[in-house]
């Protein structure tokens, strides 16, 4: 009798709980049926909210079949209408959706719940914040650690999205997340690896997490994933992660170099058609170039220098900026400077572009470096378009370009460039602008103006003597 009474009491408690859910959801206040049809694209916000509340009510009170159909509806809603993500995070019971990730739930329900969460956190900041605050990171990492390959892929997508927020990144250590992510990189499927590495890249900005990455041997694994045998997406993400680690300190730079990471990165630049992969590889190499031995290797590699020249001529603005900055920072041999003289006109054009920030400075420094070679100076002044652009940048009325940059280029051309180079600058109208900039006390302008004026006087004296 006591056992029967306990069972009846438990059943009544479940019914009361379900009725409470129905009452608080608000769906009983509508004249329509509890099971609502999928909202049309033209549906009002109120209709969508009612559908979401009804959906989560069915998700919580139904059996396995009811839950499956509710999750199917949720997935369809999130897929068809991305704007609904915010409403789902506000009006739905996200905590219960996370609860469905539990190992005790049916595999199909668990898979649908992971899929719904991965879509939800990928759509906007509000949804990511809700899932994180409801405790979604730990269960998703558990799925990534123990789930099947399809589940791991979706969980990795969700973890990567959650960790894009720096405020969430620190929490990865609380769930032993670094080790889980590294294992997913090591043994995960080609579909899972890029997202696991992407999550590591996101959390690598946290100093404490970087310490764990060093202890767990992240660098050898990431360098290994740069191999040409890895999938293109995996190589791209690995390069991005290595770029962050290489910029964070000597310990990581030394480790990357010891694992032959430089050679892998240089191969990636040669092989990859992806702009993002090229950018990450260049940024990583730029950080490694602070080490003298790496600087010497890069300086003497004609193939690599020529690749930089091609990226400056034909790459995106971001690639042009990173390539020109790297070109300016390494000690290039005169022979290699002559080999890429053809990119000087591109560097002049880049000096006119105020965005992205730093591009003008990188381009001018790279150009000054190339102009240290006499033959390059002569070639530069023979390019009338580049010379005209340079003189226009010297005009004090041109506010788009900081004047110290073209002044540095003029000084480089005028320095031991021969009277021919200086005469061409004077003939193009550089002298009057330089005098004006000298009066404005622009750095380096007075000295450069004196050199140009000296050339002008020599021309006058020479003409007088001939006459």
């Amino acid at each position: 009798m006591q056992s029967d009474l306990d069972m009846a009491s438990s059943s009544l408690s479940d019914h009361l709980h379900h009725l409470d859910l129905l009452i608080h959801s608000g769906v009983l206040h509508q004249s329509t049926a509890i099971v609502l049809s999928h909202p049309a694209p033209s549906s009002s916000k109120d209709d969508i909210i009612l559908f979401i509340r009804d959906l989560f009510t069915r998700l919580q009170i139904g059996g396995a079949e009811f839950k499956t159909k509710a999750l199917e509806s949720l997935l369809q809603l999130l897929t068809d209408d991305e704007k609904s993500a915010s409403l789902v995070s506000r009006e739905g019971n996200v905590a219960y959706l996370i609860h469905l990730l539990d190992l005790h739930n049916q595999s199909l329900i668990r898979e649908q719940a992971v899929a719904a969460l991965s879509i939800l956190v990928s759509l906007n900041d509000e949804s990511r914040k809700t899932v994180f605050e409801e405790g979604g990171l730990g269960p998703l990492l558990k799925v990534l650690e123990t789930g099947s390959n399809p589940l791991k892929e979706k969980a990795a997508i969700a973890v990567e999205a959650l960790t894009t927020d720096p405020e969430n990144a620190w929490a990865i250590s609380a769930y032993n997340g670094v080790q889980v992510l590294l294992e997913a990189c090591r043994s995960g499927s080609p579909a899972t690896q890029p997202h696991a590495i992407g999550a590591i890249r996101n959390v690598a900005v946290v100093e404490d997490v970087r310490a764990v990455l060093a202890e767990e041997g992240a660098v050898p694994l990431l360098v290994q994933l740069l191999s040409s045998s890895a999938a293109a997406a995996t190589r791209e993400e690995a390069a991005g992660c290595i770029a962050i680690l290489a910029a964070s300190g000597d310990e990581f730079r030394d480790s990357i170099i010891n694992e032959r990471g430089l050679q892998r990165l240089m191969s990636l630049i040669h092989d990859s058609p992806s702009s993002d992969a090229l950018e990450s590889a260049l940024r990583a190499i730029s950080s490694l170039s602070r080490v003298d031995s790496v600087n010497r290797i890069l300086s003497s590699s004609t193939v690599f220098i020529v690749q930089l020249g091609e990226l400056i001529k034909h790459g995106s603005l971001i690639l042009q900026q990173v390539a020109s900055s790297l070109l300016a920072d390494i000690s290039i041999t005169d022979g290699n400077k002559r080999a890429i003289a053809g990119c000087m006109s591109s560097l002049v054009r880049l000096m006119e572009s105020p965005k992205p920030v730093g591009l003008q400075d990188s381009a001018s420094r790279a150009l000054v470096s190339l102009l240290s070679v006499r033959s390059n100076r002569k070639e530069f002044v023979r390019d009338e378009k580049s010379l005209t652009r340079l003189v226009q940048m010297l005009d004090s009325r041109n506010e788009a370009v900081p004047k110290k940059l073209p002044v540095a280029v003029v000084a480089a051309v005028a320095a031991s460039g021969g009277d021919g180079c200086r005469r061409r600058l004077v003939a193009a109208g550089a002298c009057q602008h330089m005098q004006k900039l000298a009066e404005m006390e622009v750095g380096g302008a007075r000295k450069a103006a004196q050199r140009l004026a000296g050339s002008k006087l020599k021309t006058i004296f020479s003409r007088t003597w001939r006459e």
Side-chain angles (χ1 to χ4, degrees), residues 49-111:
I49 289 175
L50 177 62
F51 177 78
I52 292 171
R53 289 177 178 176
D54 168 63
L55 188 153
F56 273 89
T57 302
R58 289 185 284 128
L59 187 62
Q60 294 172 82
I61 68 174
E65 185 177 353
F66 223 40
K67 283 179 168 58
T68 300
K69 289 182 178 179
L71 286 167
E72 287 175 358
S73 296
L74 177 60
L75 286 168
Q76 184 181 350
L77 178 66
L78 292 172
T79 304
D80 295 346
D81 183 12
E82 293 184 357
K83 296 180 181 178
S84 66
S86 294
L87 291 176
V88 170
S89 63
R90 287 197 296 266
E91 304 294 337
N93 190 339
V94 175
Y96 187 80
L97 188 60
I98 295 169
H99 165 72
L100 294 177
L101 302 182
D102 193 280
L103 284 168
H104 296 96
N105 284 304
Q106 290 187 6
S107 59
L108 178 58
I109 292 175
R110 198 170 178 230
E111 183 175 343

Side-chain angles (χ1 to χ4, degrees), residues 160-180:
E160 181 182 18
L162 281 177
T163 53
T164 55
D165 187 342
E167 294 182 2
N168 300 346
W170 63 268
I172 203 79
S173 297
Y175 300 100
N176 198 34
V178 172
Q179 291 83 348
V180 173

Side-chain angles (χ1 to χ4, degrees), residues 165-451:
D165 187 342
E167 294 182 2
N168 300 346
W170 63 268
I172 203 79
S173 297
Y175 300 100
N176 198 34
V178 172
Q179 291 83 348
V180 173
L181 290 171
L182 288 174
E183 184 56 35
C185 295
R186 186 176 292 109
S187 59
S189 67
T192 300
Q193 283 180 326
H195 300 293
I197 302 171
I200 292 175
R201 182 190 61 198
N202 292 338
V203 301
V205 299
V206 181
E207 185 176 354
D208 291 342
V209 174
R210 288 199 298 271
V212 179
L213 287 171
E215 293 172 3
E216 296 294 328
V219 168
L221 174 60
L222 291 169
V223 171
Q224 181 182 349
L225 292 173
L226 287 174
S227 170
S228 57
S229 61
T234 298
R235 298 179 75 192
E236 180 179 323
E237 292 293 343
C241 196
I242 288 174
I244 291 175
L245 296 178
S248 64
D250 292 337
E251 179 184 356
F252 281 108
R253 282 192 284 272
D254 292 342
S255 180
I256 292 167
I257 294 168
N258 292 337
E259 295 293 333
R260 296 184 57 79
L262 176 64
Q263 289 75 10
R264 293 277 178 90
L265 290 166
M266 292 173 73
S267 296
L268 181 61
I269 291 175
H270 184 266
D271 299 336
S272 178
S274 165
S275 294
D276 290 339
L278 289 173
E279 179 188 347
S280 295
L282 284 176
R283 290 192 186 281
I285 291 173
S286 180
S287 295
L288 295 177
S289 68
R290 301 174 193 175
V291 180
D292 290 340
S293 60
V294 173
N295 200 308
R296 288 193 295 271
I297 292 172
L298 298 177
S299 174
S300 60
S301 174
T302 301
V303 172
F304 177 70
I305 299 301
V306 169
Q307 287 172 337
L308 290 182
E310 290 301 309
L311 289 174
I312 289 172
K313 288 192 290 184
H314 305 299
S316 65
L317 280 176
I318 292 295
L319 285 176
Q320 288 174 317
Q321 179 186 17
V322 180
S324 58
S325 178
L326 185 52
L327 194 64
D329 291 338
I330 58 179
S331 305
I332 310 172
T333 63
D334 287 353
N336 284 336
K337 289 180 181 179
R338 285 189 285 269
I340 58 170
C343 75
M344 290 191 296
S345 59
S346 297
L347 289 170
V348 174
R349 287 196 297 273
L350 294 177
M351 287 176 61
E352 297 175 320
S353 178
K355 293 183 179 181
V357 176
L359 175 59
Q360 292 174 311
D361 180 69
S362 298
S364 66
R365 290 190 298 113
L367 183 56
V368 168
S369 174
L370 296 182
L371 289 172
S372 64
V373 177
R374 183 183 181 88
S375 61
N376 285 359
R377 293 194 291 270
K378 290 183 176 180
E379 182 174 339
F380 178 82
V381 296
R382 286 195 293 266
D383 183 352
E384 292 185 5
K385 289 184 178 180
S386 294
L387 204 56
T388 300
R389 287 178 183 272
L390 178 62
V391 172
Q392 289 173 346
M393 283 187 272
L394 290 170
D395 192 333
S396 59
R397 296 168 296 181
N398 183 354
E399 299 179 355
V401 183
K403 292 295 165 276
K404 65 179 183 178
L405 304 182
V407 166
V409 175
V410 170
V413 175
S416 303
D419 289 340
C421 292
R422 289 192 286 268
R423 279 198 298 270
R424 285 183 178 271
L425 283 170
V426 171
C431 196
Q432 57 182 346
H433 292 309
M434 291 301 299
Q435 290 172 349
K436 176 69 174 176
L437 295 178
E439 294 171 3
M440 295 169 60
E441 297 185 353
V442 174
R446 188 173 302 279
K447 186 174 182 179
Q450 289 172 349
R451 287 176 176 169

